[in-house]
Amino acid sequence: MHSRDVRPPPIAAPPDPLPALLQQAIDQAFNAVMITDAGETDHRIVYANPALCRMTGYALHELLGRDPRMLQGPQTSAQVIAELRSCLADGRFFKGSTFNYRKDGSPYLLEWNISAVRDASGRITHFVSVQHDLSALATAQDAAAVFARALDAAEDGVLICNPQGIIEFANRGYEKITGFSPVEILGHKPSIAQSGQHSPDFYATMWKRLQQGLPFRSVFINRRKDGTEVHCEESITPLHNLQGELTHYVSILRDITARVMADQAFREQLQYDSLTGALTRSSGSLHLESAVAQARARGAALSLALLDIDHFKQVNDSFGHPTGDKVLAKVASTIASCLRSDDKIIRWGGEEFLLVMPGCDASSAVATLERCRRSVQQACDGLLPLSVTLSAGVGQVAPEQVLSDAIERIDQALYRAKQAGRNQIQTAEP
């Protein structure tokens, strides 16, 4: 028997795994994918991955065989769609963005690109579209834009600095407060507006708190672009990212210059007598105590004097209190014009003034009082039918003397000047 040559059957080649892998990749892709045919007039959907179904709200069977125009609506840009059709007709790549609509009618911002698919002969058979829903990003960008506009429109000044203290953002409120525009200040440090009114310790304390991650709040005296000072109530807060790393410093400042000036004016009203311009007795007493302490610390002389307008009751009784007030004001301003810059005049009583003359010995103090006495008599000449004169007592505060005792001795000297005929100066006994 003739034997046959028995050969094993050929082993079939394994199927190409690429199509299955591509199908899995597209089905599981994060971006939405749609494939349409290349019909003459319409383009029918032949494939949509799960991501596209989730994005549009349509089930797969509701999309297959339909024209993608089903997803367009009132906010879909006609210009973008016209460009899309032009690209498809020419077989060119398309990329664009506009609004489409979900099954429930809600719009979403879509970014997509479309590529032509050609067969072996180069004929276009399909179009593949990769799409991405930008609604969340657009919402975040809109919110950020609104936030930026809100910061820019705020009346308070806002500065944002990087960790090196370089300004990266300044709003219009900051320009309104300081006069520095964002263009002028970006890339600089906030020290561009420093006035020099704060000590190095002030800034050391500020940086110590900020480096500890704590906010710093204080009143800053800054300098405007025109050189004038501006008082700002300011808070500086360090910002950290999710990893706890410092990313920025945010400073919010409010112009309180008007309030500070009003407070200072009010304090001055309390500090100075409104009629004469002299220190009030309460504020003058504080100044007097300070002058005594400084004189003792330096071992310097300190002279005090009490001056009284002679026969002032007669002025009020004969010519009325308004005229008496004019005399008081004139006397006070005349005395002040005779004093040195360091000397102070205090309205000690109704028509009585206390002079504080630091660094002034007995003879110089008497000379000053003589000048005051003569000047007052000349300045008030013609103000009244009678002559306006002063009596005064003057003395020095001894190093170990109680202040009240020194004033008592000087008051006794004033009394002697009155008893001796007025319009004269008496020196207090040691």
Side-chain angles (χ1 to χ4, degrees):
M1 184 178 177
H2 181 70
S3 64
R4 290 188 308 166
D5 184 12
V6 180
R7 296 180 180 178
I11 300 174
D16 186 353
L18 188 58
L21 178 61
L22 287 175
Q23 181 72 46
Q24 290 177 342
I26 295 173
D27 284 348
Q28 298 175 28
F30 171 78
N31 288 332
V33 178
M34 176 191 292
I35 300 175
T36 63
D37 61 23
E40 291 292 332
T41 56
D42 297 330
H43 302 282
R44 303 295 174 178
I45 299 171
V46 299
Y47 173 80
N49 73 343
L52 190 133
C53 294
R54 289 193 299 271
M55 184 174 69
T56 64
Y58 288 98
L60 179 60
H61 70 273
E62 295 174 307
L63 293 171
L64 295 179
R66 303 284 301 277
D67 191 295
R69 284 179 292 184
M70 65 182 287
L71 301 174
Q72 297 173 16
Q75 295 187 62
T76 303
S77 171
Q79 182 178 356
V80 171
I81 296 301
E83 174 65 16
L84 180 153
R85 293 187 178 281
S86 174
C87 289
L88 296 188
D90 297 341
R92 291 182 287 115
F93 174 78
F94 168 80
K95 183 175 182 179
S97 178
T98 188
F99 283 96
N100 268 359
Y101 287 80
R102 300 182 182 90
K103 181 179 179 180
D104 62 8
S106 61
Y108 61 96
L109 182 61
L110 173 72
E111 181 184 69
W112 78 115
N113 55 69
I114 302 176
S115 302
V117 179
R118 290 177 167 82
D119 61 14
S121 65
R123 181 176 65 90
I124 296 176
T125 61
H126 295 84
F127 294 99
V128 58
S129 170
V130 179
Q131 307 180 7
H132 184 50
D133 183 357
L134 297 180
S135 300
L137 177 60
T139 300
Q141 289 175 337
D142 287 345
V146 170
F147 181 66
R149 289 197 301 272
L151 283 181
D152 205 35
E155 286 294 315
D156 292 344
V158 179
L159 286 181
I160 300 178
C161 301
N162 65 17
Q164 289 72 45
I166 304 299
I167 298 171
E168 294 183 348
F169 173 84
N171 72 340
R172 285 183 294 176
Y174 183 84
E175 180 178 6
K176 184 178 179 181
I177 292 172
T178 67
F180 289 102
S181 68
V183 173
E184 293 172 309
I185 204 166
L186 292 182
H188 292 274
K189 292 187 175 183
S191 57
I192 191 173
Q194 281 184 9
S195 64
Q197 294 293 335
H198 298 287
S199 67
D201 289 342
F202 175 86
Y203 293 106
T205 301
M206 177 190 77
W207 281 112
K208 182 178 180 180
R209 283 189 62 84
L210 293 178
Q211 289 167 0
Q212 291 173 344
L214 302 173
F216 180 79
R217 297 179 181 87
S218 188
V219 174
F220 287 72
I221 303 175
N222 292 330
R223 192 172 299 281
R224 295 186 181 96
K225 184 181 177 181
D226 62 9
T228 59
E229 288 184 353
V230 55
H231 296 253
C232 294
E233 195 173 64
E234 187 169 352
S235 64
I236 307 172
T237 304
L239 296 184
H240 298 83
N241 59 19
L242 295 177
Q243 290 72 42
E245 300 166 333
L246 176 69
T247 61
H248 293 88
Y249 295 106
V250 177
S251 176
I252 300 176
L253 53 155
R254 175 171 297 175
D255 185 355
I256 61 168
T257 306
R259 192 177 81 195
V260 170
M261 294 299 103
D263 289 345
Q264 287 181 353
F266 179 69
R267 285 196 297 270
E268 287 181 1
Q269 288 178 355
L270 295 178
Q271 186 176 3
Y272 294 97
D273 177 59
S274 59
L275 175 62
T276 64
L279 291 168
T280 62
R281 180 155 181 164
S282 58
S283 63
S285 295
L286 294 175
H287 178 83
L288 178 58
E289 291 175 0
S290 175
V292 171
Q294 290 181 22
R296 288 174 176 169
R298 298 171 183 171
L302 175 63
S303 292
L304 305 179
L306 281 170
L307 300 87
D308 187 85
I309 302 175
D310 295 329
H311 303 295
F312 188 72
K313 184 178 184 300
Q314 181 182 341
V315 173
N316 279 334
D317 292 345
S318 301
F319 304 102
H321 287 279
T323 299
D325 288 347
K326 290 180 182 178
V327 171
L328 270 172
K330 188 66 175 177
V331 168
S333 64
T334 303
I335 292 173
S337 69
C338 297
L339 302 179
R340 303 168 304 167
S341 60
D342 290 342
D343 298 338
K344 298 296 180 183
I345 176 173
I346 305 168
R347 189 175 180 186
W348 202 246
E351 70 274 16
E352 189 176 63
F353 298 93
L354 175 68
L355 303 187
V356 183
M357 296 172 282
C360 189
D361 59 24
S363 60
S364 298
V366 170
T368 297
L369 290 176
E370 280 293 348
R371 187 165 59 250
C372 291
R373 187 185 64 80
R374 291 193 302 268
S375 297
V376 165
Q377 194 164 8
Q378 292 172 2
C380 296
D381 187 29
L383 192 63
L384 295 175
L386 52 85
S387 180
V388 178
T389 61
L390 293 177
S391 297
V394 61
Q396 288 194 296
V397 180
E400 301 301 326
Q401 189 176 24
V402 176
L403 178 59
S404 59
D405 291 344
I407 294 175
E408 176 63 26
R409 287 190 304 105
I410 294 167
D411 190 45
Q412 290 171 2
L414 171 60
Y415 178 76
R416 290 197 303 273
K418 292 280 189 181
Q419 292 296 103
R422 296 182 170 83
N423 193 22
Q424 60 182 275
I425 300 164
Q426 291 286 334
T427 303
E429 297 176 359

